[in-house]
Amino acid sequence: MRAPIPSLLVAPMAGGPSTPALVIAAGRAGALGLLAAGYKTPEAVEDELRAVRSAGTGYGLNIFVPSRPPSDVAALERYRRLLQAEADRYGVDLPPLRLRDDDHFDAKVDLATAYAPPLVSFTFGVPDRNVVAALQAAGSLVAVTVTSAAEAAPALAVAPDLLIAQAGTAGGHASTTAPATYRGATTAPEILAAIRSVTDVPVIVAGGTGSASDVRGLLSAGAAAVQAGTVFLLAEEAGTRPAQRAAMLSAGAHETVVTRAFTGQPARALRNRFTDEYSAVAPIGYPAVHHLTAPIRAAAADQGDAGALNLWAGTGFAAARPAPTADIIQELS
């Protein structure tokens, strides 16, 4: 029998912050942490699955649904030429355009089916119905992330157990399937109400959550659970880069913006030099843009330069503080 999930989830944060230690600490504190399979090899994902399963706590796994190859290659080529100045600045080579990347989707689904974590969530689209059914048969609850009531319809068609309603206030990538029109304008109460108006399927809500009153309010409004991420970026067990930790704690961190500059997909991040210079000209094109900017971001991280880093963070970033994960969960609860 598939077990119910706790009322508080620690969001999957790809790119480093979501470590097995963070997920294990969340489980021991009564929440449910999700591993982030994005950008990792299947071997690395399996290592993390083994680690959290051996700890004997509840956990989840998030998988990216592959995106269609970008249609406007010319726009990507123009952006690549603009980024040459950044490559020169950091002494790196820009890679050729990489238009196709399924992030080892099939292999990661196979791992999820074999390990059957209590919760498997999907981001960036809707998996096939047979994928959902296989995971459910293995014993997992399946959730699909949506950013609007319109996106809920195709998600519901594959019969997930839950929907994750991601507000525009959430940090990191928006799981929107309409990146050209996405503005990140919805709040968590708004998106929760919008999704609940079109379905009786339980809804997990995410975005801008930084306090116990936020969590209580969303649960009272009908959320099956609340998923928080940004407030855990400074947790002791998180793998957040030192440059981002420093940026979040600095006096200069005062606002977030929605940008396609780093990856070609709308994402909310702390405003910095890179978002100021490239947000207006960045094309739609995930993950091609992600691969283009990867060496620039890696070099900036090595140099401790937050000006060219994707400092993913939601609007509630000011609530984040350095502390053990268990303490943060206690405060949110």
Side-chain angles (χ1 to χ4, degrees):
M1 177 179 292
R2 288 175 287 167
I5 62 170
S7 60
L8 181 65
L9 278 60
V10 179
M13 295 175 282
S18 289
T19 62
L22 179 67
V23 172
I24 291 167
R28 288 176 176 166
L32 184 79
L34 282 87
L35 294 171
Y39 310 130
K40 297 186 178 83
T41 65
E43 293 77 15
V45 173
E46 185 163 22
D47 287 344
E48 294 192 353
L49 286 168
R50 287 196 189 105
V52 295
R53 189 170 70 172
S54 66
T57 62
Y59 67 98
L61 178 70
N62 176 258
I63 300 173
F64 290 171
V65 177
S67 304
R68 293 178 180 175
S71 57
D72 192 348
V73 178
L76 294 170
E77 292 284 8
R78 287 193 297 272
Y79 195 53
R80 187 179 185 277
R81 289 192 291 272
L82 285 175
L83 291 175
Q84 186 59 52
E86 295 294 325
D88 294 342
R89 180 186 188 120
Y90 291 101
V92 297
D93 294 325
L94 289 179
L97 286 181
R98 182 176 173 184
L99 301 179
R100 295 180 181 274
D101 179 7
D102 69 357
D103 198 41
H104 308 286
F105 179 77
D106 290 342
K108 290 173 182 179
V109 168
D110 288 345
L111 283 171
T113 306
Y115 281 80
L119 177 66
V120 178
S121 68
F122 290 93
T123 301
F124 291 155
V126 181
D128 290 342
R129 171 62 187 140
N130 64 334
V131 169
V132 174
L135 290 166
Q136 291 168 331
S140 297
L141 293 171
V142 177
V144 178
T145 309
V146 299
T147 66
S148 68
E151 290 176 357
L156 291 168
V158 300
D161 301 285
L162 310 108
L163 293 181
I164 299 175
Q166 184 192 36
T169 49
H173 284 111
S175 189
T176 180
T177 54
T181 57
Y182 183 85
R183 298 293 179 267
T186 58
T187 65
E190 290 168 347
I191 191 64
L192 175 62
I195 302 303
R196 292 192 73 228
S197 72
V198 298
T199 182
D200 293 327
V201 169
V203 179
I204 300 166
V205 65
T209 302
S211 69
S213 62
D214 293 334
V215 175
R216 285 196 302 269
L218 293 167
L219 294 174
S220 297
V226 175
Q227 179 172 281
T230 299
V231 73
F232 290 97
L233 282 170
L234 299 181
E236 291 178 0
E237 297 86 351
T240 309
R241 293 170 299 199
Q244 173 148 6
R245 288 179 180 269
M248 291 181 67
L249 292 169
S250 74
H254 56 85
E255 69 175 315
T256 61
V257 295
V258 174
T259 180
R260 296 194 300 258
F262 296 106
T263 67
Q265 176 77 3
R268 186 171 290 279
L270 292 177
R271 180 182 174 185
N272 63 3
R273 180 186 65 80
F274 204 91
T275 64
D276 284 350
E277 294 185 13
Y278 295 100
S279 292
V281 295
I284 296 168
Y286 179 88
V289 176
H290 160 77
H291 292 302
L292 270 182
T293 65
I296 296 167
R297 290 180 282 128
D302 288 343
Q303 298 174 27
D305 180 4
L309 292 182
N310 51 308
L311 303 172
W312 300 149
T315 57
F317 71 91
R321 67 179 184 87
T325 296
D327 290 359
I328 301 169
I329 289 171
Q330 184 176 16
E331 291 175 3
L332 290 176
S333 303

